[in-house]
Amino acid sequence: MKFRDGMWLVAEGMQVEYAEEVYETNPTENGLSLLCPSRKIFSRGDTLNRSTLKIDIEAAFDGVISVETTHWAGAVHRGPHFELYPNGRPKVEAKISKSDKGTTLSSGSLSATIHPDEHNFDIRFHSTDGSKQLTSLLSRSVGLAYNPAPSNPLQTGDMRDFKHYIFTQTTLGVGESVHGLGERFGAFNKVGQSVQLWNADGGTSSDQAYKNVSFWLSSKGYGIFIDTPGKVDLEVGSERTNRVQTSIEGQRLKWYIIYGPTPKEVLQRYSILTGKPGKVPSWSFGLWLSTSFTTNYDEATVNSFLEGMKERDTQVDVFHYDCFWMKAFTWSDFVFDAERFPDPKSQITRLKSSGLANKVCVWINPYIAQHGAAFETAAKNGYLLKRKNGDIWQWDLWQAGMALVDFTNPEAVKWYVECLNGLFDQGVDAIKTDFGERIPSLDVEWFDKSLDPKKMHNYYAFIYNKVVYEALQQRYGDDQAVLFARSACAGTQRFPLQWGGDCESTAEAMGESVRGGLSLGLSGFAFWSVDIGGFEGYPPPWIYKRWVAFGLLCSHSRLHGSGSYRVPWTIDNDDKSEEGCSRTLSKWTALKTRLMPYLFAQAAKAIDQGIPLSLRATCLEFPEDPTAWYLDRQFMVGDSILAAPIFDESGEVEFYLPKGKWTCFFTNKTRDGPGWFKEKHGFGSLPLYVREKTVLVLGKSDIRGVVYDYATDVEVCLYHIEEGAGADLRDNAGKTLGSLKVDAQGELKGTEILKGSWQTSKDGRKIDDSYSETIQWL
């Protein structure tokens, strides 16, 4: 949403009024309230026939300040509202001081200073100790706008034909970059982009996003959380090149500025505000295998898939039944297709008892098709969203006569949970919560009539996923609940995990997916997955194998497609060579299995800090390296391993290593950063480098399945260690076992927590020399 036509003109059809000065500054319980007229006031007559904007600046908690701009305070503030401070609000300590620099509000490490000069509008956000200037609200940076522009002020007595906007513009420094705003598949640095936060089912090759998160992270050591689930328009250096403009349709706009100074500290504070990522069980880190979407499958097909994977030495930890586990035209009625799955409970029991799969997941969405068994019950009892005239809201997009569950109705929630419990009774352990983006915002009325339908469009993703996640928790325990969700908004990180949606089977789409995962990680989400091989299309073998390597280094890993299977032997005519799809998948699945002692301990740290496990942007670990803020073709797996997927059929790849000594996981050869490097890899490897000062615990090499004893028969690998280096260990239920630490003499302490025939490897791990033949340094 642009309000100006260049620097000098107002955009066509717009009337724009700016806060021109701070006329009054009044203290409040936790901050300051500023009265800001839309012209400079030199006489009493100047106070007439002019709008004012009230700007309330308040201390939220240490390092966080809220800024709320209001035009007409009498406007109804309709919900829904984000569930802030879900784990409790920290103590607020607001401090107001005055000096020749102005009036300053301090909230711990973060302060806001209002310039003292009369007829000036200047609000600066900075570290309380004065060491860092973060951003500012300067001249013509806070305002309101009408569209169309009223020709007479009397016209605003009837607002039905006008749209009213509030906007703010925070300054961008030279070289400053902006990241996050949800799972966005375009350029990693958002400067220069127009971004609209409005959930949409647009695939991964457009500017639309399934997961719009109203939070962005700056390379200058702060973040901004916009406190509305409604549509938000951002011009990130795209209306004024030196400002980020945030605008909403309405009478009030509230956002929080969150200080770090490191990006990890920003995200940790953001997680206090909107919620920490939920815990996920160890079994969820294993390989998930799907039936794919429109493929023709039944019980025999499922068995053949899993038996084929076992024959090819790949353990499937979770098997997923996609949409057609239900009959066509009936989704979601929660009823297995009796013709194809005559006894689903017995089949699921057999799969688990045979070890072919350890857990089972099924697909659902929040829509109820007219021809399914559930529709009549839901319609009769008022569980479905209605139009304003009382009709049930329906359309034929996706499913014929499709309606939408109204989760604002407590009775609808109870009914939906009963349906889910019926699945759990049959042995279902996890739920893929698909869709939730195409939520109508016009001509609808929710059961809770106090809610704004436009705000419900994005927020529906939160309540939909919350209902299903909490149903899983109630059945299986707080730390055993797992979703595979597509839609999200701020706060949905509490209900893991999310996956990247509908990508094509191309190298370009794999690159899009990497950018999407990186951006979502910088929006407070710890866990993320992707459709290995791509969803749309038929991946050639080289794409499939490169995507397998990338996908098994995501926090969670799933083989899934649209109209074709993703079991490896269907991709390359069952090539049984070492470079074939089956062996490639087996190798990468085994590698992730070995990494589980590291991954599960790192997952606990990620949850605590509100940061991504993988994909983790390099800038989170190396914020002082300016190059790290532009790296969108590589990622960190936890805090100690760097991975660079390969996007070229030749196997050539270029990647960046930040400052320090890095060891190739596959060869133990070392490189010194910072610098760019080129390599060429076979399908069993990619640039996977271990950071110096790392103690890396690996599971036994012949273990199959990710749930095992993470302290028994392990290999403890030391990478250029020094005093203080260490590793935490947890058991497969998440219980802390203890820590391994390197002392001043370079000896490893804490080994009493290890069991069995564990061993220590210095200068890297024990390697397979075959990799030296398939990795070339260019």
Side-chain angles (χ1 to χ4, degrees), residues 183-185 198-201 206-212 437:
E183 182 190 55
R184 315 208 77 83
F185 305 104
W198 187 253
N199 283 0
D201 176 7
S206 75
D207 61 353
Q208 295 181 0
Y210 304 103
K211 307 169 188 67
N212 287 273
E437 303 92 4

Side-chain angles (χ1 to χ4, degrees), residues 362-499:
V362 297
W363 174 98
I364 64 168
N365 61 206
Y367 311 130
I368 307 296
Q370 181 171 291
H371 301 289
F375 184 87
E376 183 177 353
T377 298
K380 180 177 65 177
N381 290 286
Y383 299 157
L384 303 173
L385 177 64
K386 293 184 178 180
R387 300 187 189 274
K388 290 181 179 179
N389 67 2
D391 291 349
I392 291 173
W393 177 87
Q394 291 179 270
W395 65 15
D396 290 328
L397 184 62
W398 183 243
Q399 288 282 281
M402 186 187 85
L404 182 68
V405 178
D406 186 345
F407 289 114
T408 73
N409 181 347
E411 293 304 314
V413 171
K414 290 179 183 178
W415 168 76
Y416 202 79
V417 170
E418 287 175 5
C419 295
L420 295 174
N421 279 325
L423 297 178
F424 305 154
D425 290 342
Q426 295 177 84
V428 172
D429 306 281
I431 300 290
K432 175 181 172 180
T433 48
D434 204 356
F435 288 85
E437 303 92 4
R438 291 174 177 167
I439 307 304
S441 58
L442 302 173
D443 189 32
V444 292
E445 185 174 76
W446 294 88
F447 177 83
D448 183 347
K449 295 177 177 55
S450 69
L451 301 178
D452 181 344
K454 291 182 179 179
K455 291 182 179 179
M456 279 296 294
H457 174 86
N458 285 348
Y459 194 72
Y460 189 87
F462 180 89
I463 57 176
Y464 163 42
N465 285 293
K466 181 181 182 182
V467 165
V468 181
Y469 187 76
E470 291 183 347
L472 284 161
Q473 286 184 311
Q474 187 173 8
R475 171 58 70 97
Y476 296 118
D478 287 351
D479 299 342
Q480 293 295 312
V482 181
L483 303 182
F484 226 87
R486 191 173 76 173
S487 59
C489 61
T492 319
Q493 68 270 10
R494 292 163 50 189
F495 319 123
L497 61 105
Q498 286 71 31
W499 105 95

Side-chain angles (χ1 to χ4, degrees), residues 10-31:
V10 175
E12 184 177 352
M14 291 286 183
Q15 176 177 311
V16 184
E17 302 173 23
Y18 296 98
E20 294 286 358
E21 69 171 55
V22 178
Y23 182 73
E24 287 183 359
T25 302
N26 298 303
T28 61
E29 182 180 359
N30 291 313

Side-chain angles (χ1 to χ4, degrees), residues 50 266 328 513 566 568 608 620 688 740:
R50 289 289 170 182
V266 174
S513 296
R566 290 293 177 264
D608 181 62
L620 277 181
L688 192 66
L740 303 173

Side-chain angles (χ1 to χ4, degrees), residues 51 129 134 246 257 328 345 431 489 527 550 572 609 691 730 754:
S51 61
D129 63 11
L134 303 175
T246 303
I257 180 168
K345 183 175 183 179
I431 300 290
C489 61
F527 306 109
F550 159 46
D572 62 359
Q609 298 177 49
R691 194 176 182 177
R730 291 177 176 254
L754 304 178

Side-chain angles (χ1 to χ4, degrees), residues 447-700:
F447 177 83
D448 183 347
K449 295 177 177 55
S450 69
L451 301 178
D452 181 344
K454 291 182 179 179
K455 291 182 179 179
M456 279 296 294
H457 174 86
N458 285 348
Y459 194 72
Y460 189 87
F462 180 89
I463 57 176
Y464 163 42
N465 285 293
K466 181 181 182 182
V467 165
V468 181
Y469 187 76
E470 291 183 347
L472 284 161
Q473 286 184 311
Q474 187 173 8
R475 171 58 70 97
Y476 296 118
D478 287 351
D479 299 342
Q480 293 295 312
V482 181
L483 303 182
F484 226 87
R486 191 173 76 173
S487 59
C489 61
T492 319
Q493 68 270 10
R494 292 163 50 189
F495 319 123
L497 61 105
Q498 286 71 31
W499 105 95
D502 298 347
C503 48
E504 297 174 320
S505 299
T506 65
E508 292 77 14
M510 186 161 63
E512 294 162 4
S513 296
V514 172
R515 295 193 296 271
L518 292 172
S519 290
L520 191 67
L522 292 183
S523 306
F525 288 70
F527 306 109
W528 182 85
S529 185
V530 67
D531 289 343
I532 294 175
F535 177 73
E536 291 287 350
Y538 301 86
W542 80 267
I543 288 284
Y544 179 89
K545 288 181 282 190
R546 294 304 182 191
W547 212 313
V548 161
F550 159 46
L552 267 297
L553 291 170
C554 298
S555 77
H556 290 75
S557 308
R558 183 182 68 158
L559 293 163
H560 180 66
S562 179
S564 58
Y565 302 129
R566 290 293 177 264
V567 286
W569 57 90
T570 65
I571 306 295
D572 62 359
N573 295 317
D574 204 12
D575 179 354
K576 293 182 169 59
S577 72
E578 284 298 305
E579 293 285 281
C581 290
S582 293
R583 286 297 300 141
T584 299
L585 178 61
S586 178
K587 290 175 185 177
W588 286 101
T589 304
L591 172 58
K592 188 171 190 182
T593 300
R594 285 205 75 193
L595 284 170
M596 276 304 295
Y598 169 76
L599 290 174
F600 206 45
Q602 287 285 314
K605 292 175 64 174
I607 292 166
D608 181 62
Q609 298 177 49
I611 62 176
L613 169 60
S614 178
L615 308 183
R616 181 180 299 181
T618 313
C619 58
L620 277 181
E621 293 298 328
F622 300 92
E624 300 304 319
D625 185 336
T627 300
W629 290 92
Y630 293 88
L631 299 174
D632 62 1
R633 301 192 305 274
Q634 62 187 65
F635 54 90
M636 299 292 294
V637 181
D639 55 27
S640 295
I641 298 176
L642 183 147
I646 297 171
F647 304 99
D648 194 274
E649 188 171 4
S650 69
E652 293 186 7
V653 57
E654 187 173 16
F655 60 97
Y656 178 82
L657 295 176
K659 184 178 180 180
K661 189 172 288 294
W662 297 84
T663 303
C664 173
F665 180 86
F666 297 104
T667 66
N668 285 344
K669 293 173 67 175
T670 62
R671 290 190 184 273
D672 292 321
W676 286 92
F677 303 93
K678 290 183 178 180
E679 294 178 359
K680 185 174 182 178
H681 286 257
F683 292 113
S685 64
L686 52 64
L688 192 66
Y689 278 82
V690 183
R691 194 176 182 177
E692 63 186 2
K693 306 172 190 175
T694 293
V695 177
L696 179 64
V697 182
L698 299 175
K700 194 175 180 181

Side-chain angles (χ1 to χ4, degrees), residues 709-714 731 737 751-759:
D709 189 334
Y710 301 148
T712 296
D713 299 336
V714 298
D731 67 16
L737 298 175
T751 56
E752 62 275 5
I753 65 175
L754 304 178
K755 298 175 287 184
S757 302
W758 63 273
Q759 55 186 304

